[in-house]
Amino acid sequence: MDTLKFTVLPGDGIGPEVMETALNVLNHVAQKHQFTLQYEQCYVGGAAIDRHGMALPTATLEACRHSDAILFGSVGGPKWENLPPEEQPERASLLPMRKAFSLFANIRPGLLYPELADASPLKATRIPQGIDMVCVRELTGGIYFGQPKETTTLDNGEKRAVDSMVYHTSEIERIADVAIETARGRGKKICSVDKANVLATSVLWRETVIKYLSEKAPDIKLSHLYVDNAAMQLAGNPGQFDVILTENMFGDILSDLMASICGSLGMLASASLGADKNSHGLPFGLYEPAGGTAPDIAGQGVANPCAQILSAALMLRHSFGKSQAANEIEHAVRQTVSTGTRTQDIAFDTKSVSTQQMAQAILSHLE
Ligand code: NAD
C-alpha cells in the first residue's frame, strides 16, 4: 500500500480547529483509495514559542525534513504581537521554512463558485461565471531576497535604505515550468505579469518567458501585462485570466487582490512547492490556507474549514500524485457549498453552520 508521509503543523488560532477537519477528510479518502497516511503533528508559530521558546523548533524542522510534504495551518495572533519582529510567529517560522525547503513556487487558486458570487466585492454582473484562475508566484527571488539589502546613515545624517531586485534566467525558467504545468491542467493560457517598461529584471523576465515558452510550450497561449494594468484587469474583468505567472513582490500583491475578489479567505488554499523532489519523485511542498489565524473567530467553532481541506487536496495532487482523490475532495467541497451548508463567512441569507457541521457535510458528499 502506498504510504503518504507528511508533517502536520496546525499552528495557532483557527489553525488547529480547521486542521482537524482536513485530517478527517484525508483519512476518509485514504481508506477509499487504499493508501496509508503517516503523519506527525508538531508545534509551530505561537504555540511553539509558548512551549519551546521559538517559532520553529529544531524538532519541528527535523520532522519536516523527514517528510514528503507539510500540511500547515496558520500562525500568529495578538498574544505574540509584542515580540521583536524577527521572533514573531509568521516571520520566524514561515520565512525560514521557505528558505530551508527552497519553496520557490507559490500556487494559489483563485476560485469563486458562481453560487457564491455574493461573497465577492465585485458586482455579480462582472463575474457571471464566478472566478476560476490560478496565480503562480515566484517565491524565493526578487526584491525580498536580493542583496544588497541594507539601511545606512550618510555623512549628512540622512538615512538611506536599499532593497535589490535580482533575477536569474534559471529562476524565471523554473517558475515558468510550474506555470506551464498548471496551465496544461486547465485552460492552457498564461498571462505573464511584469513591469518591463521600467525594470531591468522585468525585461529579463519577459524575454525569458517568451523564449522559454516558445521552445517548451508552444501549446500554451501566452500574453503579457504590466503589473499596474494587471491589477486593474483583476478588479474589472477577472474572468479573462486562466494562469497568472509573476515574480515575488508582484505576486504577493496580486494574489491578495485575487483573494479579495474571491470573497472569503476561508475558501482559498495554496501550495508552495520546493525545488527538491520527495520520495515519490514529486515536488516537496508546504500546503496552507490563504488566510491567517482569524483571532476574531478563533475558539468559537465557526471557522470555514474549506481552505484547509482544499489545501490537503492540493497536497494529494502535487506532492503525492493522488489527483483522483484531490478531485473528489474539491468536488465534495463545491457540492457542500452549493447545497447551502455554509459557515457564517459565506452564509449570506442561509442559516450558517459550525466548522464541524460543514466538515461533516463535506465527508458525506465524499461518500
Ligand atoms: P486573517 O486572515 O487571520 O483574518 C482576516 C479576516 O478573514 C478575519 O475577519 C477572519 O475572521 C477571516 N477569516 C480568515 N480565515 C477564515 C476562515 N477559515 N473562516 C472564516 N473566516 C476567516 O488575517 P489577519 O486578521 O490580518 O491576521 C491574523 C493573524 O494571522 C496575524 O497574527 C497574522 O500575522 C497571521 N497570519 C498568518 C498567516 C499564515 O500563517 N500564513 C497569514 C496571514 C496572517
Side-chain angles (χ1 to χ4, degrees):
M1 220 191 228
D2 204 1
T3 299
L4 279 47
K5 195 171 173 199
F6 56 99
T7 304
V8 176
L9 306 179
D12 309 313
I14 61 168
E17 300 170 36
V18 291
M19 186 63 83
E20 186 192 333
T21 67
L23 292 175
N24 288 341
V25 165
L26 281 173
N27 277 306
H28 185 97
V29 294
Q31 218 166 24
K32 180 172 173 196
H33 289 271
Q34 301 204 318
F35 49 80
T36 307
L37 304 179
Q38 189 184 334
Y39 56 84
E40 184 182 351
Q41 291 211 37
C42 300
Y43 291 111
V44 72
I49 292 173
D50 290 351
R51 280 168 187 78
H52 304 290
M54 59 175 83
L56 184 59
T58 312
T60 300
L61 195 56
E62 279 310 303
C64 295
R65 280 194 206 286
H66 291 102
S67 300
D68 288 318
I70 302 167
L71 188 59
F72 195 90
S74 39
V75 292
K79 185 174 176 190
W80 305 281
E81 262 168 24
N82 294 325
L83 289 172
E86 63 282 4
E87 291 175 26
Q88 290 190 10
E90 224 181 317
R91 191 152 156 192
S93 63
L94 265 177
L95 292 189
M97 278 173 60
R98 277 182 197 162
K99 214 167 174 186
F101 298 106
S102 306
L103 302 174
F104 73 95
N106 182 245
I107 302 178
R108 235 203 237 193
L111 190 61
L112 175 73
Y113 311 133
E115 52 271 33
L116 278 186
D118 282 353
S120 175
L122 299 185
K123 283 186 189 138
T125 48
R126 297 223 168 205
I127 41 172
Q129 314 295 329
I131 297 171
D132 183 0
M133 57 184 290
V134 177
C135 182
V136 176
R137 165 189 169 196
E138 203 290 327
L139 205 56
T140 50
I143 200 163
Y144 293 176
F145 294 94
Q147 294 295 332
K149 181 187 260 311
E150 60 189 13
T151 305
T152 48
T153 304
L154 304 177
D155 291 344
N156 66 2
E158 189 182 14
K159 283 193 168 179
R160 176 173 181 269
V162 177
D163 293 293
S164 305
M165 197 170 202
V166 184
Y167 268 108
H168 297 87
T169 316
S170 54
E171 288 173 293
I172 302 169
E173 288 177 348
R174 74 175 177 176
I175 192 70
D177 265 332
V178 176
I180 291 168
E181 206 185 312
T182 308
R184 282 191 175 139
R186 302 174 37 92
K188 293 195 171 181
K189 278 180 10 185
I190 293 178
C191 177
S192 171
V193 174
D194 59 42
K195 190 70 184 166
N197 51 344
V198 180
L199 299 174
T201 43
S202 279
V203 172
L204 179 66
W205 182 277
R206 191 175 286 216
E207 281 173 8
T208 306
V209 168
I210 290 173
K211 184 162 181 284
Y212 196 70
L213 265 85
S214 70
E215 287 165 7
K216 304 272 176 182
D219 55 316
I220 301 291
K221 189 164 181 266
L222 176 65
S223 61
H224 306 270
L225 282 179
Y226 296 137
V227 62
D228 40 347
N229 190 11
M232 284 201 302
Q233 297 297 326
L234 259 178
N237 178 18
Q240 69 186 283
F241 294 111
D242 181 24
V243 174
I244 286 185
L245 162 64
T246 193
E247 64 88 54
N248 204 344
M249 180 169 64
F250 299 159
D252 190 3
I253 298 165
L254 291 181
S255 62
D256 268 18
L257 175 56
M258 182 186 77
S260 148
I261 59 171
C262 286
S264 174
L265 281 171
M267 294 299 299
L268 300 177
S270 83
S272 298
L273 305 185
D276 297 329
K277 298 277 186 262
N278 63 20
S279 72
H280 295 251
L282 292 164
F284 180 93
L286 182 149
Y287 301 86
E288 59 172 333
T293 56
D296 52 336
I297 55 167
Q300 297 173 24
V302 296
N304 186 338
C306 293
Q308 190 73 63
I309 290 170
L310 293 170
S311 300
L314 288 180
M315 178 178 80
L316 290 179
R317 178 176 295 122
H318 291 287
S319 284
F320 296 112
K322 304 285 182 204
S323 293
Q324 178 63 27
N327 291 342
E328 284 176 19
I329 294 173
E330 288 162 353
H331 186 67
V333 167
R334 180 159 188 181
Q335 292 274 93
T336 302
V337 169
S338 304
T339 49
T341 308
R342 300 178 184 175
T343 42
Q344 62 181 20
D345 53 313
I346 51 168
F348 317 117
D349 298 334
T350 51
K351 191 172 168 296
S352 65
V353 301
S354 69
T355 306
Q356 288 301 333
Q357 287 168 318
M358 181 112 162
Q360 197 51 49
I362 293 168
L363 281 175
S364 53
H365 280 291
L366 273 170
E367 278 157 14

